[in-house]
Amino acid sequence: MEYAITKERLRTLPVSWLLAISGLVIVAVISHVFFAAQGNFGAASLLPSVTVIVLALATRRTLEPLIAGSLIGFLIISPTSALQDFTGAALEVMQGPVMGWILLLTGLFGGLIALLHLSGGTLAFSEKLQLYIRTRRQALLASWLLGLLIFIDDYLNALTVSAAMKKVTDKLKISREMLAYVVDSTSAPVCLLVPFSTWVIFIAGLIETNGVAEAGSGIAYYFTLIPYVVYPWIAVLIIPFVALGIIPPLGTMKKAEAHPEIPTETFPAELNQTPRVINFILPILILIGATWYFNIDALIGVGCALATCFALYTLQGIATFSRLFDEMMHGLQTMLVPIGIVFTAFILQIVNDKLGLTHFLIDTVTPYVTADWLPVIAFIVLSVLTFSTGSFWGIYAVSFPILVPLAQALDANMPLTLGALISAGAFGSHACFFGDSTVIAAKGCGISPVQHAITQLPYTLIAAGISSMIFIVLA
């Protein structure tokens, strides 16, 4: 497992790593001395994100690189108060409504998955699917179609599809990495193509706030943007080509597919009756229906699904109320590492905001932008930002007030420019090593976030390359 640190690994930790970390600290302090007096950290604002990416690739871990990158950022800002600033940022994140929502939603999702497993519902649903899904192609296409259907929320999508399809793909010797790629490709990208999701509601608000559309007509305007949200279209449409073998396994995905590692999942020993499909289907339908009914609120949806599990499983005599509650808490505990990764990613976002990373990159390329090149440059620059910072909605909030007047001043194609901006957020959510969608998809499929991100990277880069060419042609 990614987070099991052995004594042997600690003993063999190379001196080069200690020297590298010491070097980063020295560079951070020098950057503070050089840039702080200017009030603009310039290129030094890149250092925290570069640190995270390099350490994540080198160690195949996620949490520790995020902590290291955040501390490097605070050292650049103020070496004498870096630790105090780090703890202050951690408290700021915890006090914010977004982190509270993520903590509750992710934890309760973990509890729901544990209850579905305990009841045998997940096993029964998977066995039912196996009666109709007999080949690799069918399994991957079924995962893709199921992801297309659950478009309300990216968390809801990733955890539901992975729970439903793991047993099926395991039996057909499909790697968990491949399943995670399909799951992740149909989470945020699909949510951006269907204008009834949490992502679209947020973007519609930004459209109205920045004067692109009148108050109350943001959703209607978003409908006109859907043809120009290129990256989600490409990311979603590539999957059938991968499933059919037209696009073969690439890079590290080829190795994962050649030797799939299937985790062992024990069947609940205390289950004394035949597993029933209804024990999976009913809670999931309640989850989706309640989320939709309560204004796309997945937190209320998962609460209703948990209540359904408790009532349904108690009435069937599957387990006592206390046993079900204990299992729910155990499922919540399994989500602590993903929650920790998302939490630390938010701290990194605070560091990047204080360093002015977004404004630095945008200000650097703006003088060279023309109307025809604005969409593709916006897509590339903002994709780099979302990939390196793990901030998607945050980048949207910062970029809208910059790109909208810039597009107006250059007389650029506004729908195409906004489509490029939105596409960049989709790419970041899809590809970022520590993005919440990546972390949740990896957790749902039982692999590490870095393992998932590295294996799917060739496909995300292909989709990004095709999207860039389309933005150039359309402009």
Side-chain angles (χ1 to χ4, degrees), residues 178-200:
M178 180 61 78
L179 176 62
Y181 160 63
V182 175
V183 167
D184 204 358
S185 299
T186 56
S187 54
V190 171
C191 290
L192 286 166
L193 295 178
V194 182
F196 306 105
S197 67
T198 49
W199 280 69
V200 172

Side-chain angles (χ1 to χ4, degrees), residues 213-441:
E214 296 180 357
S217 59
I219 294 289
Y221 186 86
Y222 190 88
F223 272 96
T224 67
L225 297 180
I226 291 176
Y228 302 101
V229 183
V230 176
Y231 180 84
W233 282 112
I234 302 301
V236 169
L237 293 176
I238 279 179
I239 298 174
F241 292 94
V242 175
L244 296 173
I246 298 172
I247 299 178
L250 303 170
T252 52
M253 184 69 82
K254 185 175 182 179
K255 180 179 178 182
E257 283 290 279
H259 305 285
E261 296 181 5
I262 309 300
T264 302
E265 295 185 2
T266 57
F267 185 74
E270 65 268 38
L271 189 62
N272 53 13
Q273 55 183 275
T274 303
R276 300 178 180 178
V277 175
I278 190 66
N279 289 339
F280 180 88
I281 291 292
L282 184 58
I284 294 299
L285 289 177
I286 294 294
L287 169 65
I288 297 172
T291 298
W292 179 277
Y293 180 79
F294 290 102
N295 298 317
I296 321 298
D297 191 331
L299 185 56
I300 296 179
V302 73
C304 293
L306 283 169
T308 301
C309 287
F310 274 91
L312 184 63
Y313 303 162
T314 303
L315 289 173
Q316 293 181 37
I318 291 174
T320 64
F321 185 90
S322 297
R323 175 70 181 88
L324 292 173
F325 192 85
D326 289 343
E327 189 68 18
M328 184 188 76
M329 294 305 298
H330 174 72
L332 188 150
Q333 292 171 18
T334 65
M335 290 294 184
L336 289 179
V337 170
I339 290 171
I341 292 171
V342 174
F343 169 71
T344 318
F346 276 123
I347 296 177
L348 181 66
Q349 290 175 26
I350 291 176
V351 173
N352 287 325
D353 289 342
K354 290 181 181 294
L355 291 172
L357 173 60
T358 302
H359 289 286
F360 166 70
L361 282 180
I362 292 176
D363 291 344
T364 300
V365 301
T366 296
Y368 310 101
V369 173
T370 63
D372 290 342
W373 286 98
L374 178 59
V376 68
I377 290 176
F379 173 69
I380 293 172
V381 171
L382 295 178
S383 291
V384 171
L385 277 170
T386 54
F387 176 80
S388 60
T389 64
S391 174
F392 320 120
W393 290 17
I395 295 298
Y396 285 158
V398 172
S399 301
F400 257 90
I402 297 172
L403 281 183
V404 168
L406 181 60
Q408 291 171 338
L410 294 173
D411 196 25
N413 186 322
M414 182 64 75
L416 187 61
T417 301
L418 294 183
L421 190 163
I422 295 166
S423 293
F427 171 80
S429 177
H430 194 188
C432 179
F433 288 28
F434 47 89
D436 49 358
S437 291
T438 299
V439 173
I440 296 301

Side-chain angles (χ1 to χ4, degrees), residues 23-48:
L24 284 171
V25 171
I26 293 171
V27 170
V29 174
I30 293 174
S31 298
H32 168 77
V33 173
F34 185 79
F35 289 103
Q38 305 176 23
N40 180 1
F41 291 99
S45 62
L46 296 167
L47 187 58

Side-chain angles (χ1 to χ4, degrees), residues 58-94:
T59 63
R60 298 297 181 96
R61 297 168 70 84
T62 312
L63 190 56
E64 297 92 327
L66 282 168
I67 295 172
S70 300
L71 286 171
I72 290 296
F74 283 120
L75 282 170
I76 295 173
I77 296 168
S78 175
T80 57
S81 62
L83 291 177
Q84 296 95 314
D85 293 341
F86 181 87
T87 56
L91 289 173
E92 181 183 339
V93 171
M94 283 303 299

